[in-house]
Amino acid sequence: MVVAILQNISLIILITMVYHYVIRDLRAKPITVSIIGGLLFGSVSVLAMMSPVRFEAGIIYDGRTIILAIAGLFGGPLTAAIATVMAAAFRLFYIGGPGAPTGATTIVTASAVGLAAYYWRRKTGKELTFKRLIAIGLLVHIAMLAAQLMLPEQRWKTILPVIALPILILYPLAFYLVCKLFLDNEERARDRAMLEESEARYRALFQNHRSTMLLVNPDTGVIIDANLEAEKFYGWPRGELIGKPLVSLSASPPEETEERIKAALASKNASFLCRHRLASGALRDVDVAAGPFVYLGRTVLSLIVHDATARVEAENEVRALNQNLERKVAKRTQELEDANRELESFAYSVSHDLRAPLRALEGFSTLLEEEAGSSLDETARHYLDRIRRNASKMSQLIDDLLRLSRIGRQSLERSEIDLSAMVRDVAEDIAAQYPGRTVSMRIQEGMTARADKALLEVALVNLLGNAWKFTASVPEAVIGFQSMDRGGETIYSISDNGVGFDMAYSQNLFTPFQRLHDEREYAGSGIGLSLARRIFARHGGRIWAEAAPGKGATFFFTLGG
Amino acid sequence: MSAGLSENTAILLVEDNPDDEELTLLAFKNNRIANPVYVARDGAEALDFLFRKGAYADRDQKSNPRLVLLDLKLPKVGGLEVLKRLRAEPATQALPVVVLTTSNQDEDIVNSYRFGANSFIRKPVEFGTFNAAIRELGYYWLLLNEVPPAH
């Protein structure tokens, strides 16, 4: 009997395999699938009933419960209904016999349990595990055994002990196995649907993408696909692009293109700049991103091509501009260096060649005075004196001029300076040069500065010297030195109560050899303030003045960073 | 110049400017410096004189100088070059050289001392000051200063 049941089950498995190949491979509407499914399940049930285990005439046992439960579980209501009607009709009217009502009931309960499981699964979305399938199988066959109670003459008493155990062990297991086949099939179908969908998506993406894209056979180097943008860019219809060797697009030597294909296949992604030829014959600089790509199960080379002509042109332009600029800068630098060297040699000549004649002038007029002084009259001696004074003055002017030019060339070395102390020292030195004068100095305490010590001292000597000089006629001379903060910048100032000057002439104040006062009254070469201005300018600072005639002057300066 | 410096009395004035030459000689006279003075008018002549070459090949040893007054800006061979060459010769290595020039450019002062000048004096424009400088200079280098003895 067990062997007979096993044979029966094998038949079912074989038949159901045929089912899902037939059903699932047909691409049909759901309702059609349900109807065909119902007819198939019904037919298979009928087939199963035609090779049963025959207990006695009219009482047969077969795998129909398994088939109908599956029809319910996987096929749904319509499939289950069609299969149930077919199977029940066959059992009642074709086979008949004393087991007919029991057999028909079994058919109905099996498909009902399967359908209940179908709804449970749809509602909860739970997975059909081994345990759950076995439980469903047991339920179906407990109902089947219960239906045996309907047999006439209480035959169940003799039948049930024989069939109960094999049925409750083997049928749920067979049910599980067949279900497993259906589940695998379902999963495969889902995978294939997803694959088809992703392929369709990919095709759409590839075709309509705004980038120019090509697919190339890596073995032959021939283009196997091109998108719409590629048609537009290259100017060949897709049909012509496909089949063209990639090297025929490239303006580079073929070996280079082949090298690049190899490199792109080896690495995940390669990008390079090259030139492609269009259908029109025009050349375009292009950025190509290339990499291996699995397409329909094989590795191909994908190329994404971007027109870089505008960028390359812009780059070339920038490069040309840069080179031009560099050339210009080099030329200017050379010019500046030349000018500086010229200035340097000019200063050298001035100090040598211009002074020598002065020495002769001065020397020989002195000697003339010594030799012939007694025989010269007053006027002649006065003229000689004028010659000598002017030679001395010119010598002083040359020295000042050289000092002025040296400040511009000298390097600047900043250090922390106690400015209050420096001003005090300079003031003391100047005071010593004017022994007869009393000047009251008001120097703010605690002033500091970051500047070149030697240069700053030269500037202070000139500024304070001026303040001294131009307060000579004032009975109580007062000179102040102070600092203030204006918007984060420190402004220093030197003020005096001297003769001052008219601001109308202030634009000449810092020009070399320009004087605002009579030389006979106030000695000096007129270089002091231009020296000071140059020194502050070298520091990145500036100098300016405020004054009024007879009301003193104030000079302000800053020392930059 | 094998004789010891201590026996020499002459002064070699290397000067290309005739005005300066005359003024210097006048200053010597004013200050009663009676040592014999030889004048070389460019660097090449100075070297010929010192090394007894060319026109000075037959020069008497007695005219060997005790002091050289050297201008820097000279025709043919510059003052610094003269200084370098005479310091390279054993005979003139210890010879006192006073650079007497118009310039007071920093690099001239630095280079003069580097090449072995004993002193650097800038010619003052005022003759009075110049005269005083020559007096001090003669007094120091010709009277006070001791030179190495003959070997």
Side-chain angles (χ1 to χ4, degrees), chain A residues 150-425:
Chain A
M150 291 165 67
L151 285 173
E153 298 156 30
Q154 298 196 328
R155 284 198 198 155
W156 59 272
K157 283 185 179 167
T158 48
I159 291 169
L160 274 187
V162 181
I163 63 164
L165 201 61
I167 281 180
L168 283 182
I169 292 170
L170 292 176
Y171 275 52
L173 271 176
F175 174 74
Y176 165 74
L177 286 173
V178 178
C179 281
K180 191 78 188 126
L181 280 173
F182 272 86
L183 284 173
D184 287 349
N185 183 43
E186 255 185 13
E187 202 174 321
R188 255 201 309 276
R190 224 182 3 251
D191 286 354
R192 212 167 70 186
M194 272 165 68
L195 192 69
E196 277 166 11
E197 193 189 23
S198 95
E199 248 168 38
R201 227 181 358 232
Y202 152 74
R203 271 230 68 80
L205 194 66
F206 177 81
Q207 270 314 112
N208 303 317
H209 202 279
R210 298 281 298 272
S211 299
T212 300
M213 293 200 212
L214 301 171
L215 291 182
V216 173
N217 181 336
D219 305 320
T220 59
V222 164
I223 296 170
I224 51 176
D225 204 351
N227 69 355
L228 292 171
E229 198 61 33
E231 289 188 323
K232 245 195 278 175
F233 179 64
Y234 289 107
W236 278 295
R238 183 162 169 261
E240 267 183 59
L241 270 172
I242 294 173
K244 242 184 223 309
L246 185 63
V247 291
S248 73
L249 285 185
S250 177
S252 324
E255 307 83 53
E256 204 180 304
T257 309
E258 278 158 20
E259 261 322 288
R260 275 171 176 162
I261 293 176
K262 240 183 258 170
L265 283 168
S267 65
K268 270 270 163 261
N269 277 300
S271 66
F272 48 87
L273 183 70
C274 64
R275 275 193 163 186
H276 277 186
R277 191 176 284 112
L278 311 184
S280 64
L283 288 174
R284 283 274 185 280
D285 290 302
V286 286
D287 274 324
V288 179
F293 180 78
V294 179
Y295 177 64
L296 297 177
R298 62 185 185 132
T299 301
V300 300
L301 181 70
S302 86
L303 299 177
I304 301 174
V305 179
H306 282 288
D307 190 353
T309 310
R311 199 197 71 216
V312 169
E313 264 170 23
E315 278 172 2
N316 287 341
E317 206 169 309
V318 167
R319 202 169 302 125
L321 280 173
N322 266 343
Q323 276 169 357
N324 201 8
L325 192 67
E326 266 166 38
R327 256 199 309 278
K328 265 189 195 157
V329 168
K331 191 167 163 253
R332 289 285 149 80
T333 310
Q334 185 60 46
E335 280 169 4
L336 268 178
E337 276 169 5
D338 289 349
N340 221 20
R341 240 195 314 279
E342 223 163 272
L343 191 68
E344 206 87 13
S345 76
F346 172 73
Y348 193 84
S349 315
V350 166
S351 94
H352 261 103
D353 302 347
L354 292 191
R355 288 172 61 88
L358 285 178
R359 199 164 43 247
L361 267 179
E362 212 279 344
F364 289 114
S365 43
T366 304
L367 288 166
L368 179 60
E369 204 185 348
E370 275 172 17
E371 297 282 317
S374 50
S375 60
L376 291 175
D377 64 10
E378 187 75 12
T379 321
R381 273 211 299 280
H382 171 72
Y383 292 157
L384 268 179
D385 186 52
R386 292 290 280 268
I387 293 171
R388 286 178 51 207
R389 268 174 199 273
N390 276 287
S392 291
K393 197 173 126 193
M394 189 164 167
S395 155
Q396 185 60 47
L397 286 175
I398 290 171
D399 282 354
D400 285 344
L401 198 63
L402 285 177
R403 266 201 298 158
L404 193 61
S405 88
R406 212 169 294 162
I407 283 166
R409 289 178 282 140
Q410 205 161 301
S411 67
L412 195 77
E413 277 166 38
R414 281 185 198 263
S415 61
E416 218 51 62
I417 292 168
D418 181 347
L419 191 58
S420 300
M422 187 188 257
V423 172
R424 242 187 333 267
D425 289 348

Side-chain angles (χ1 to χ4, degrees), chain A residues 54-66:
Chain A
R54 200 173 300 275
F55 205 81
E56 61 184 73
I59 300 173
I60 54 167
Y61 294 97
D62 50 57
R64 84 190 93 123
T65 46
I66 293 169

Side-chain angles (χ1 to χ4, degrees), chain A residues 344 347-349 351-353 355-360 362-364 366-367 370-371 391-392 395 399 402 406 409, chain B residues 17-20 22-23 26 30 71-73 101-108 122-128 130:
Chain A
E344 206 87 13
Y348 193 84
S349 315
S351 94
H352 261 103
D353 302 347
R355 288 172 61 88
L358 285 178
R359 199 164 43 247
E362 212 279 344
F364 289 114
T366 304
L367 288 166
E370 275 172 17
E371 297 282 317
S392 291
S395 155
D399 282 354
L402 285 177
R406 212 169 294 162
R409 289 178 282 140
Chain B
N17 185 326
D19 292 331
D20 277 354
E22 199 178 333
L23 286 172
L26 273 168
N30 273 357
D71 195 2
L72 288 184
K73 225 177 155 223
T101 182
T102 311
S103 133
N104 68 337
Q105 297 273 308
D106 291 348
E107 63 265 34
D108 279 346
R122 186 199 188 197
K123 286 181 238 177
V125 168
E126 291 79 18
F127 184 72
F130 181 62

